[in-house]
Amino acid sequence: MSEHVSLDIFSHNQAAWDRQAEQAGPWSQPVDAAAVAAARAGDHRARLMPGPLPAGWLDQAAGWRILCLASGGGQQGPLLAAAGAVVTVFDASEQQLERDRLVARREGLTLATEQGDMRDLSRFADASFDCVFHPISNLYVPDVRPVWRECFRVLRPGGRLLSSFFNPAAFIGDRDPEYARQGLIRPRYPAPYSDLRDLEPAALAAKRAGGEALVFGHSLAEQIGGQLEAGFLLAGFHEEMQPTPRFVIDGYLPAFIATWASKPGA
């Protein structure tokens, strides 16, 4: 199916994430008081992936202007604010942002929340932030390159983009439960994957009718190459296995990839 269908992907995925937040999914569960107390003591434990950040990526956040991009849910933003950062949380979902405001009210934290499309950060001036913290989320937009360009623009020279995304190989397998029961990986979907292009019409219609978020498994050329095209320099690279595998392939390669990209300058 052509990706150029009459569909407002942003609005569809915005509504899908509002529902996920209301259902308290894993990325919509606000941090507790103990985590905030630890962050105030210098151990913020903000996550790009299920595991901890690599050493040196963001050890100390105090005084940093941080944009938590597509990072609502009451987790990363409040922890970084408790660690002393000046935090703006930006997300498509108002319900995800409400989780951040809930923790801020509960713990006496100061943070700003902004609702919008991660591909358009025009409300922020050039060089507004020291760090963009961008956990796995760009699979919800069909073209990731505008995200990288906007991140580059809003960062100061010397600022850093900390981002994570799915390994594109994680999307290639047939999802028939019978193959999973047999422990088989049957390649079916070419990379980069797209729900709009690769799902059968009936499966796509069912996903849309059920309010599930539509996803796009961007290639490494789009993810890492796109950062380099935007002007970034790659300063760090990290891979991580899926701790709770959903598909057979998750047991054989790192499902998660994270990068530290730096904007050149002083």
Side-chain angles (χ1 to χ4, degrees), residues 223-246:
Q223 298 281 22
I224 299 174
Q227 293 179 27
L228 299 177
E229 290 169 10
F232 286 106
L233 300 177
L234 194 63
F237 183 90
H238 180 70
E239 294 180 312
E240 194 170 304
M241 299 293 287
Q242 169 66 267
T244 54
R246 298 173 301 162

Side-chain angles (χ1 to χ4, degrees), residues 74-150:
Q75 298 179 3
Q76 322 317 323
L79 292 177
L80 292 169
V86 179
V87 173
T88 300
V89 183
F90 187 98
D91 203 280
S93 166
E94 185 64 25
Q95 290 300 319
Q96 283 286 89
L97 292 171
E98 180 55 31
R99 271 68 185 162
D100 293 274
R101 292 190 286 264
L102 180 154
V103 179
R105 291 191 297 267
R106 190 190 74 205
E107 304 294 337
L109 299 171
T110 299
L111 56 77
T113 57
E114 294 280 349
Q115 190 275 330
D117 187 330
M118 71 179 90
R119 297 167 293 183
D120 178 10
L121 304 180
S122 57
R123 71 191 69 182
F124 304 120
D126 295 357
S128 293
F129 300 100
D130 303 302
C131 177
V132 174
F133 198 87
H134 182 45
I136 292 173
S137 55
N138 66 37
L139 72 161
Y140 301 113
V141 296
D143 182 4
V144 73
R145 285 185 172 89
V147 179
W148 303 140
R149 291 194 294 267
E150 283 289 84

